[in-house]
Amino acid sequence: MCLAIPGRIESITDPAPATRRGRVDFGGVVKEIHLVFVPEAEVGDYVLAHVGCAISRIDEEVAVRTLAELSGDAP
Amino acid sequence: MKHLDEYRDADLVQRCAQRIADCVTRPWTLMEVCGGQTHAIVRHGLDELLPDGVRLVHGPGCPVCVTPTAILDKAHEIANRPEVIFCTFADMLRVPGTATDLFEVKARGGDVRIIHTPLDAIEIAEAAPDREVVLFAVGFETTAPANALCVVEARRRRLRNFSLLVSHVLVPPAMEAILRADDCRVQGFLAAGHVCSVMGVSEYRPLAARYRVPIVVTGFEPVDILHGILLCVRQLEQGRHEVENQYERAVRPDGNEAALQLVREVFTVTDRAWRGMGSIEHSGLSLAPAYRDLDALQRFGALTGPDDAPGECLSGEVLQGRRRPDECPAFGTRCTPDHPLGATMVSAEGACAAYYRYRPVPVGAESVDDAGAVRELGAVHDTGAPTGTSALRDTGEART
Ligand code: SF4
């Protein structure tokens, strides 16, 4: 039930803060997702969506850094 | 898919496994809290990549599994009423109560609707003003914001025919209940990343300090989980017990402010019974006083009956990491997804369902013990279930 999946915001369909929504692309499947909880997320950002609501914006910089650390030879 | 595929890379998985092997000098027992992590571990065979002595035990992080029988019985009673449209996630359909399940209620004519987002229930209620629409609001901290949004939306649209049957649970009190047990074997936790996306990490600090246990906030993909294990065993080897964040890309230390604000407005913390585990103090959410008129229990009567169904199901033991699902005598024989004795066999995040799906009892084995023996010999690998890293590159199914 806590499954959440990352998707890219394609467009904002309702910009009002209390009902903010947008179309989010999950690897080719586009769905309308509630964006009330990620007011900072804009078109092009990746968000983590859970039961139709984005619960977090994915921090690209951190993602790149984590992967680089893991791929590197540092212990 | 970006932000998924990178964390299923077979090379990276092997590197992480090697680093774990390089750093471990003693046996350690870790618990992954979330059922989603359990499924990833069993599905991809991640536990089989760990050095001898590093053991994963499965935790209570499946809200479907811990929904008490009394609430399920109430759900079935409400869903049976002719005026009601009962809205639920598909996961709850096969969870057995005392006498029936929602699937059967639906088959017998109950208007049970499967929703993908709680907000669907709002649309259904608006479109059917002459019916009573009830939302089965289950979940952990992760799901609470979506359900809170429904409550606010119902108010905004002045819906009079909408209510919620709330069975929300909170993760940190359950972790503490596990740590408090005299026979607790858990030495480190992989905390549930998506719960922390909402809640942040601060609630774990007192737990880590009081019980001297490392807690690593961890994601759900194979690389995430092995990375979480690496950080956790590294702390254990070094004698540290801190809160660390493996899932930094999606978890801010303070969580999601906007979501938390709404959850605190709509819900209030309450004691809650966990199926198989008993009542845990301050471990649930119920509607705040200002929203009690939307409580389905106010409309359809209070709970009666037992929190737990009597029977042979050992899900409480499974959910606290005391037993593996395949150590339950009923596993795969008297208890299967078609004839479940417990919720952990039917929930998409239930540990018993994960073992049944990915580590089934081989044909011809007399018992689970035989199955274990056969598996030890490496003879059970043509089940179609992915093991090891072979499946790491499969594409992510839509999992919202
Ligand atoms: S195998 Fe079935 S009976 Fe045994 S613990 Fe799991 S759900 Fe309960």
Side-chain angles (χ1 to χ4, degrees):
Chain A
M1 269 221 43
C2 290
L3 295 176
I5 184 168
R8 183 179 172 279
I9 301 179
E10 273 199 339
S11 60
I12 305 289
T13 51
D14 179 351
T19 51
R20 192 167 190 254
R21 276 176 306 163
R23 289 172 62 75
V24 177
D25 180 353
F26 301 96
V29 181
V30 178
K31 284 186 180 173
E32 179 105 350
I33 295 291
H34 293 266
L35 302 173
V36 175
F37 304 124
V38 287
E40 76 283 17
E42 296 298 342
V43 170
D45 285 345
Y46 278 79
V47 291
L48 204 52
H50 167 69
V51 296
C53 294
I55 53 167
S56 180
R57 185 181 63 83
I58 292 180
D59 189 326
E60 301 258 358
E61 251 172 61
V62 169
V64 168
R65 197 183 69 214
T66 305
L67 280 170
E69 277 169 17
L70 284 174
S71 318
D73 291 323
Chain B
M1 240 188 306
K2 192 170 170 193
H3 296 300
L4 270 189
D5 294 344
E6 308 91 300
Y7 304 91
R8 296 178 177 185
D9 180 87
D11 286 344
L12 212 45
V13 163
Q14 293 296 352
R15 267 170 189 262
C16 288
Q18 188 56 49
R19 283 189 190 175
I20 294 168
D22 291 345
C23 116
V24 166
T25 64
R26 277 166 286 174
W28 300 111
T29 299
L30 314 182
M31 173 178 276
E32 87 279 359
V33 171
C34 177
Q37 294 167 330
T38 304
H39 267 253
I41 288 162
V42 178
R43 174 180 183 189
H44 297 298
L46 301 180
D47 46 347
E48 291 163 6
L49 301 175
L50 299 177
D52 286 348
V54 176
R55 245 165 50 89
L56 295 175
V57 295
H58 314 313
C62 166
V64 173
C65 301
V66 302
T67 302
T69 306
I71 291 186
L72 285 159
D73 288 348
K74 193 74 199 177
H76 304 153
E77 179 200 316
I78 293 172
N80 253 322
R81 298 171 78 111
E83 77 275 24
V84 165
I85 300 174
F86 195 83
C87 299
T88 178
F89 294 119
D91 264 28
M92 299 302 295
L93 280 189
R94 296 307 304 262
V95 179
T98 307
T100 184
D101 60 36
L102 283 170
F103 193 75
E104 198 176 70
V105 170
K106 185 173 166 65
R108 296 205 170 143
D111 195 346
V112 177
R113 310 252 182 113
I114 296 163
I115 50 168
H116 301 289
T117 167
L119 278 305
D120 287 346
I122 295 289
E123 301 300 336
I124 292 170
E126 194 160 63
D130 53 336
R131 305 283 300 279
E132 275 291 328
V133 174
V134 182
L135 169 66
F136 204 178
V138 294
F140 281 127
E141 289 91 334
T142 324
T143 318
N147 284 332
L149 194 56
C150 270
V151 170
V152 171
E153 197 55 23
R155 268 283 195 279
R156 198 177 67 85
R157 300 195 197 184
R158 299 179 198 281
L159 295 177
R160 300 195 170 282
N161 62 329
F162 175 79
S163 60
L164 303 93
L165 181 60
V166 178
S167 186
H168 259 290
V169 273
L170 301 172
V171 169
M175 285 167 66
E176 178 151 27
I178 287 166
L179 286 166
R180 250 200 315 244
D182 293 336
D183 58 349
C184 174
R185 295 172 306 170
V186 178
Q187 292 164 296
F189 279 105
L190 308 184
H194 293 152
V195 165
C196 298
S197 292
V198 173
M199 291 304 291
V201 304
S202 61
E203 280 188 60
Y204 295 107
R205 295 217 173 88
L207 281 183
R210 190 172 319 138
Y211 296 94
R212 306 181 68 78
V213 59
I215 300 177
V216 179
V217 175
T218 302
F220 295 80
E221 297 306 319
V223 169
D224 287 320
I225 290 169
L226 290 172
H227 186 201
I229 293 169
L230 174 64
L231 295 176
C232 201
V233 292
R234 202 180 267 163
Q235 283 202 43
L236 287 164
E237 290 282 341
Q238 295 171 354
R240 292 184 291 128
H241 42 83
E242 295 158 15
V243 175
E244 240 176 315
N245 186 0
Q246 181 280 327
Y247 203 32
E248 244 186 303
R249 65 184 184 280
V251 174
R252 318 283 175 265
D254 294 330
N256 184 321
E257 296 279 358
L260 281 174
Q261 214 178 341
L262 201 67
V263 168
R264 288 185 183 131
E265 151 83 21
V266 166
F267 292 114
T268 168
V269 174
T270 179
D271 296 347
R272 177 133 348 255
W274 292 51
R275 186 172 180 145
M277 292 173 65
S279 183
I280 303 176
E281 263 192 340
H282 311 310
S283 70
L285 295 176
S286 60
L287 287 165
Y291 297 98
R292 291 260 159 86
D293 56 308
L294 294 174
D295 187 345
L297 295 181
Q298 304 271 333
R299 260 177 231 197
F300 302 101
L303 297 178
T304 51
D307 288 330
D308 273 312
E312 63 176 318
C313 177
L314 301 174
S315 69
E317 300 276 292
V318 170
L319 289 162
Q320 292 169 86
R322 297 210 179 97
R323 267 187 218 240
R324 271 203 331 257
D326 56 3
E327 289 166 349
C328 169
F331 175 82
T333 52
R334 290 181 303 287
C335 181
T336 64
D338 286 335
H339 296 283
L341 295 178
T344 41
M345 184 52 94
V346 281
S347 165
E349 291 173 8
C352 301
Y355 274 68
Y356 188 87
R357 181 145 177 220
Y358 301 117
R359 294 190 186 162
V361 182
V363 179
E366 294 284 312
S367 68
V368 172
D369 286 347
D370 287 355
V374 175
R375 198 176 294 129
E376 305 267 283
L377 293 171
V380 203
H381 281 286
D382 60 346
T383 55
T387 53
T389 53
S390 59
L392 293 177
R393 284 180 183 281
D394 63 0
T395 51
E397 63 272 56
R399 299 188 306 171
T400 41

